[in-house]
Amino acid sequence: MAQPVLPEPAFPDLDSMLSRKFGKEVANYFSGSPLNRVSFLRSDHAFLSAALRHPSTSLLLLNNLNPLAKDPSNLEYVSYKDVTLLIGDDPYSKTEAQMISEYDSTITIPQLLFLGLDERNKQGLTYNIYTGSPYFALDVTPKGTITAQARSLIQAMQSRGLTFLEGRIQASLPAQDAAIYAQGRALLDWNARNPFCGQCGQPTLSINGGTKRTCPPSDMSSLKGAIGGNVGSAPTERPDCATRKGISNLCFPRTDPTVIMAVVSSDGKRVLIGRQKRWPAYWYSTLAGFVEPAESAEEAVRREVWEESGVKLGRVVIHSTQPWPYPANLMIGAIAQCIPGGEEIVLKHDPELEDARWAELDEVREALRVGTSALGESAQEGYKEGNLRLPGKTAIANQLLAAVVAGFVGQSPKI
């Protein structure tokens, strides 16, 4: 399958002191969304109500986090009228305060996310000083009290010849659609993983356009804290919860920082690559690992490389970043260089890698030309079996290696 074109960075042709010094900004796959998130409007239910029902509005449906699509390269967006069977006429008819006061844990509320406005459409919704086509994401996974409605909606979409794309990673979408999908998937996944309060264990309610969860002080269910309890005539006060006090009184979506690095030898002529046992033959990539608490990204790069390969690093430079919605990572791409004498590979510390080795720049350059693809897919025409394989352009590892062979570590490095 052909690899999609990567997104353009913001203002790619703008001349500035920073661009002259550091070069053109790098944008990675799953970034480059065309939407203005207008996050300050997420609690404004008058805005959300108008946005949801506007004729220019697009909704992305996800079933078990699989997006609705025409084919693997084309998402399918639906309209408000297509989903009223599941969400009702206006899920934003009440304020957040009313929703919290009337919370009933026995009722499954369809998870709806406001993603943002596409301001390129000047004929879209106008609200105060903002104009654009609204975008939402909706979880249509059959569950709880909305199982029948969700199944009916799924069947209606399938009757149109549409499908929900299965597979762990969707890396064949056009760049802007990929960014919209990534935002929707990450937030729906987070909501699904956090149905209960981390402090008191009570069921939580999604608010703020789907980007926060709160622990309501009462529940219309007569059985305290239990989903599926009997409905009472008056709300039952729930046990006291620390999340309802002080400043940090809400649960926010998490983003897990992860470092991924192209490591260059001290003489600048080789690159460190590694492979896991489960990968296809000849397939290698850059090293990567999670940032730990109270650790800088640069420290994480040095620690992870030493733990996985035994190689010791000196200078670390941040190159670019990539949102990775599986489930909620921010890949912090770095380029680092070994200290003199620190290039010996030792795999006895952390058993994560099956192999690690140094590759000459020419070998990496050739692999980037004809040996890249998504994991498990075929390489490009011209690839010779047995030669090095590398991740495709949708992976930040590809961008990091391409920067190295293009001279990033030279006299005048440019990102």
Side-chain angles (χ1 to χ4, degrees):
M1 183 177 295
Q3 298 181 45
V5 177
L6 296 179
E8 279 284 346
F11 308 106
D13 301 320
L14 179 66
D15 179 51
S16 68
M17 289 184 286
L18 285 176
S19 62
R20 288 194 294 272
K21 183 175 177 123
F22 296 107
K24 183 179 178 179
E25 183 177 319
V26 175
N28 288 290
Y29 197 65
F30 293 128
S31 68
S33 173
L35 305 183
N36 181 346
R37 299 194 184 198
V38 287
S39 61
F40 43 85
L41 292 177
R42 290 171 181 161
S43 60
D44 185 341
H45 278 209
F47 164 73
L48 293 177
S49 178
L52 178 63
R53 297 178 294 167
H54 196 267
S56 69
T57 295
S58 297
L59 290 96
L60 177 63
L61 309 185
L62 293 95
N63 179 19
N64 287 315
L65 301 178
N66 300 319
L68 185 67
K70 299 174 184 176
D71 56 60
S73 298
N74 293 280
L75 294 179
E76 175 72 1
Y77 298 96
V78 302
S79 68
Y80 157 75
K81 293 181 179 180
D82 292 317
V83 299
T84 52
L85 173 65
L86 179 61
I87 67 173
D89 292 332
D90 187 2
Y92 300 116
S93 60
K94 298 179 180 179
T95 67
E96 280 189 358
Q98 288 176 300
M99 292 176 64
I100 294 171
S101 67
E102 299 174 8
Y103 176 66
D104 185 341
S105 62
T106 65
I107 298 175
T108 305
I109 301 175
Q111 187 59 62
L112 185 61
L113 306 173
F114 171 65
L115 301 178
L117 295 175
D118 187 345
E119 296 175 310
R120 296 172 298 180
N121 184 3
K122 303 305 179 183
Q123 306 304 313
L125 170 71
T126 295
Y127 188 83
N128 295 334
I129 63 173
Y130 313 104
T131 297
S133 296
Y135 276 72
F136 289 80
L138 175 63
D139 186 358
V140 300
T141 307
K143 63 181 71 172
T145 58
I146 59 172
T147 296
Q149 297 94 321
R151 286 176 176 166
S152 294
L153 179 54
I154 292 171
Q155 292 171 358
M157 295 299 108
Q158 292 172 336
S159 69
R160 299 180 185 180
L162 303 171
T163 185
F164 290 91
L165 296 178
E166 296 185 355
R168 178 176 174 269
I169 297 175
Q170 303 299 334
S172 59
L173 300 170
Q176 293 188 344
D177 279 341
I180 293 172
Y181 153 74
Q183 182 187 359
R185 187 196 191 282
L187 284 168
L188 287 181
D189 190 22
W190 169 76
N191 274 282
R193 288 171 184 263
N194 292 273
F196 300 102
C197 177
Q199 177 68 31
C200 70
Q202 299 285 327
T204 55
L205 172 67
S206 180
I207 59 173
N208 204 243
T211 62
K212 296 179 184 178
R213 297 192 71 89
T214 188
C215 183
S218 61
D219 191 342
M220 294 300 293
S221 170
S222 61
L223 184 59
K224 291 183 179 180
I227 294 179
N230 295 321
V231 177
S233 58
T236 301
E237 294 300 313
R238 300 165 107 185
D240 195 25
C241 181
T243 65
R244 304 186 202 117
K245 302 176 181 178
I247 297 175
S248 301
N249 59 344
L250 292 170
C251 177
F252 292 88
R254 63 180 290 171
T255 295
D256 300 321
T258 305
V259 289
I260 181 167
M261 41 278 178
V263 174
V264 183
S265 59
S266 60
D267 62 5
K269 296 180 179 180
R270 295 171 297 159
V271 182
L272 180 67
I273 52 176
R275 61 170 279 109
Q276 296 181 14
K277 186 175 182 179
R278 62 184 178 85
W279 290 356
Y282 318 118
W283 192 285
Y284 283 77
S285 184
T286 57
L287 276 58
F290 286 101
V291 179
E292 295 192 347
E295 181 179 50
S296 71
E298 292 84 355
E299 289 172 321
V301 167
R302 295 187 186 95
R303 176 184 55 78
E304 283 286 345
V305 169
W306 178 81
E307 288 180 353
E308 294 184 5
S309 71
V311 170
K312 300 175 182 178
L313 301 183
R315 183 74 166 95
V316 176
V317 176
I318 304 301
H319 172 271
S320 61
T321 60
Q322 179 180 35
W324 191 253
Y326 303 104
N329 299 105
L330 178 64
M331 308 295 289
I332 304 171
I335 295 177
Q337 192 164 22
C338 284
I339 62 173
E343 297 163 358
E344 180 183 2
I345 293 176
V346 179
L347 299 180
K348 66 181 180 181
H349 304 303
D350 187 333
E352 180 172 341
L353 297 181
E354 178 189 52
D355 184 41
R357 69 179 179 89
W358 291 100
E360 299 290 335
L361 294 188
D362 283 345
E363 181 185 11
V364 175
R365 190 176 288 111
E366 178 65 10
L368 289 171
R369 188 179 71 85
V370 296
T372 67
S373 70
L375 194 66
E377 293 185 358
S378 300
Q380 299 100 309
E381 184 178 352
Y383 171 76
K384 296 181 180 179
E385 186 67 19
N387 286 352
L388 177 64
R389 296 289 309 279
L390 293 172
K393 291 181 179 180
T394 58
I396 190 174
N398 182 290
Q399 297 263 50
L400 297 174
L401 292 170
V404 168
V405 301
F408 183 91
V409 191
Q411 293 297 317
S412 300
K414 291 292 182 69
I415 294 177

